[in-house]
Amino acid sequence: MTNTTNEGLVFTPLYEELFYNTRYKGLSAEAKLLYSFYYKRYKLSAHVYSMGNTMYADKNGIFIVFSNEEATELLGYSNRKITNLKNELINFGLIKTKRCGLYHLKIYVQPIQTDDDNNSDNDNSSYKDDSNLDNTKRENSNNTKAEKDNTNKQNMRNSKIYNKYIYTKDTEETKQRKVKTNKNRNLSNFEKQALESLKNKVSPILSLNAFGRISVLAQGQYEKAKWLVDTIFKAKSQIESRLLSSDKWLYSQEGNEAIRFETNNFLARGVESALLQITEIIYRQHKEIKNIKGFIYVYLRKFMSSAVKKYLIQNFELSEDTILELDKLVSFKKPVQSIG
C-alpha cells in the first residue's frame, strides 16, 4: 500500500540556528546538512552510552564513526567534497576529529552556539580534547585555575544531550548508583569471551565496523549478537536460494559473485549501513514496531535483495527482460516494516 503521509518516516532535523546565527555566516548549506547527520548520529551514540555501552565514548567524550564513504553514498558528493565540508565544520568549531586506525576518524560533534552563548561574559566555548567524561563543577575564583574550571563548566552546559547522559555530580548517592549499575550491566567474562569468539568467527566475511553495529544493536549481549549474525546469513541464504533457482544464474559466474560478501561490495559495505539504519529506526519507533525480530529480518532481506540486483545491473550488461526476471526472482511480497 502506498504511503500518502509522512507519518512513521525517519527524519533528520536541520538546525535553524546554523542559518540565523551570525557566528555561522559563511558556513555552506552543504556543511550544515552534513552537521545535521553527524549530530543525529551523535544522539544515537549518547543513547547507547546511557545504556551502559562505552563503545562510542572515551576520555574526550562521546564520538561517532562516520566515514567519508558513508557520507558520499548518503549525500551524493565526492570524497574530496566531503573532506572540504568536514574541514568547514572543524573551522567553525562544530566538530573535532581524531585518527582511529588507518581509515577512520573519531568525530566529536560539538554543540551549536547560540546568541546567548555569544553574549555571555567570561565564557569560553572551546572543546578541550583532554576533558574527562565525569568532570565535576568547581566554584569561580579570580585565579587561573578557576578560569580553566569555568571553561569546563561551559563545555558541559552547552550540550543538553551531553549533560543528560554524561555529566553528573559525584555525590555518594551517584557513586552508589554507578556501582550498582555497573554490576548489573557488566558482562561476565564468559560472555565477553563468547562475543570475542563470535567476532573472530565472522571477521573473514563481516567487517569489524559491521560487527560493532551488531554489538550495539544487541546491547553487548552474546545471545542477541548471535541471533543477529544468524539472521544476516539467513536473509542472505534466502536471496541466494531465490537467485540460484534459475539455471541462468545457477551456472553463471555473475550469479555466484552477486551473492557472496567477498565479491559483491554492495553486500559487504552495505550491511554496516543497513544495521545502522535498523538501530536508528528501532531507537525512534520502538513502541510502534510490533515484531522487532521480524522487522530486522525483513529489513535485512530487502537490503540483500537490493544489493544483489544492484551488483548485477551495474557490473554486467543485462537486457530489460533479464532485469525484469531478476526482479521477480529476488523480490518478496512481504512488507519491509511491520510497524503499526
Side-chain angles (χ1 to χ4, degrees):
M1 181 176 179
T2 303
N3 183 15
T4 57
T5 71
N6 288 331
E7 294 181 6
L9 300 181
V10 178
F11 67 93
T12 298
L14 194 60
Y15 299 96
E16 292 187 4
E17 188 72 21
L18 293 175
F19 294 89
Y20 297 124
N21 193 331
T22 56
R23 174 191 290 267
Y24 301 112
K25 185 177 181 180
L27 183 65
S28 68
E30 294 98 329
K32 294 169 184 176
L33 179 61
L34 181 60
Y35 176 83
S36 293
F37 281 102
Y38 281 166
Y39 196 80
K40 179 182 177 183
R41 182 74 61 81
Y42 164 77
K43 289 196 292 183
L44 182 61
S45 292
H47 174 72
V48 168
Y49 183 89
S50 74
M51 301 298 291
N53 190 325
T54 60
M55 177 176 293
Y56 296 106
D58 59 18
K59 66 179 182 179
N60 299 317
I62 293 175
F63 62 85
I64 65 172
V65 176
F66 202 124
S67 68
N68 280 13
E69 290 74 16
E70 186 176 353
T72 295
E73 185 174 349
L74 186 66
L75 299 177
Y77 299 144
S78 67
N79 194 294
R80 175 174 292 184
K81 174 75 171 180
I82 296 297
T83 298
N84 291 338
L85 296 180
K86 190 183 296 182
N87 287 335
E88 279 192 59
L89 294 175
I90 292 173
N91 292 335
F92 276 84
L94 288 168
I95 63 170
K96 295 278 186 178
T97 62
K98 279 187 175 295
R99 176 65 57 184
C100 175
L102 294 176
Y103 304 105
H104 295 288
L105 292 173
K106 291 180 179 179
I107 301 175
Y108 300 86
V109 182
Q110 305 300 293
I112 297 172
Q113 302 299 305
T114 64
D115 289 333
D116 291 339
D117 297 321
N118 294 340
N119 298 329
S120 62
D121 295 329
N122 299 323
D123 281 344
N124 185 344
S125 60
S126 62
Y127 176 85
K128 283 189 166 295
D129 285 342
D130 60 350
S131 62
N132 212 309
L133 286 177
D134 57 354
N135 272 338
T136 56
K137 291 184 177 180
R138 295 180 175 88
E139 295 181 355
N140 291 330
S141 66
N142 294 325
N143 56 30
T144 304
K145 183 175 180 297
E147 291 178 1
K148 181 179 179 181
D149 291 345
N150 195 39
T151 298
N152 288 336
K153 286 167 62 181
Q154 180 63 22
N155 289 342
M156 296 299 183
R157 189 164 60 247
N158 282 338
S159 173
K160 293 180 180 179
I161 294 293
Y162 198 86
N163 281 336
K164 182 177 180 181
Y165 294 121
I166 308 300
Y167 185 57
T168 54
K169 195 172 182 179
D170 278 335
T171 61
E172 281 301 318
E173 181 183 355
T174 303
K175 290 178 180 178
Q176 291 174 6
R177 186 163 60 249
K178 285 181 179 179
V179 170
K180 184 178 180 180
T181 301
N182 288 336
K183 285 183 178 180
N184 291 335
R185 289 177 176 168
N186 279 345
L187 297 172
S188 65
N189 289 333
F190 175 80
E191 188 156 23
K192 287 181 180 178
Q193 291 174 5
L195 273 172
E196 188 67 23
S197 175
L198 180 62
K199 181 178 73 174
N200 293 335
K201 184 178 180 180
V202 301
S203 61
I205 301 174
L206 299 178
S207 69
L208 292 178
N209 283 337
F211 191 82
R213 303 295 185 203
I214 291 173
S215 181
V216 169
L217 193 54
Q219 297 179 323
Q221 299 177 35
Y222 170 76
E223 288 298 330
K224 290 183 178 180
K226 178 65 165 58
W227 180 86
L228 283 165
V229 169
D230 290 343
T231 300
I232 289 171
F233 287 101
K234 179 181 176 182
K236 175 180 172 295
S237 176
Q238 191 165 10
I239 300 299
E240 180 178 345
S241 297
R242 284 287 191 99
L243 182 68
L244 301 186
S245 66
S246 168
D247 290 344
K248 178 183 294 186
W249 301 109
L250 175 62
Y251 299 107
S252 70
Q253 179 183 351
E254 298 95 322
N256 284 275
E257 286 181 0
I259 48 84
R260 298 179 66 224
F261 282 105
E262 297 88 338
T263 50
N264 186 344
N265 287 331
F266 297 118
L267 279 176
R269 294 187 319 207
V271 69
E272 180 185 348
S273 179
L275 289 166
L276 176 64
Q277 292 168 25
I278 289 171
T279 304
E280 290 182 342
I281 292 172
I282 291 177
Y283 167 55
R284 291 180 176 275
Q285 305 181 30
H286 178 81
K287 293 182 179 179
E288 299 176 33
I289 302 177
K290 297 176 181 179
N291 181 356
I292 290 182
K293 284 190 174 181
F295 162 72
I296 292 174
Y297 172 68
V298 174
Y299 197 102
L300 286 170
R301 189 178 64 184
K302 183 183 180 184
F303 150 71
M304 299 280 184
S305 173
S306 177
V308 167
K309 287 189 290 186
K310 190 173 181 179
Y311 178 83
L312 289 171
I313 291 172
Q314 290 198 10
N315 288 280
F316 304 99
E317 294 184 6
L318 304 180
S319 67
E320 290 185 8
D321 290 341
T322 301
I323 293 175
L324 288 174
E325 180 188 1
L326 173 64
D327 190 59
K328 290 180 180 179
L329 278 173
V330 295
S331 295
F332 297 83
K333 295 181 179 179
K334 191 173 181 179
V336 180
Q337 298 185 19
S338 53
I339 298 179

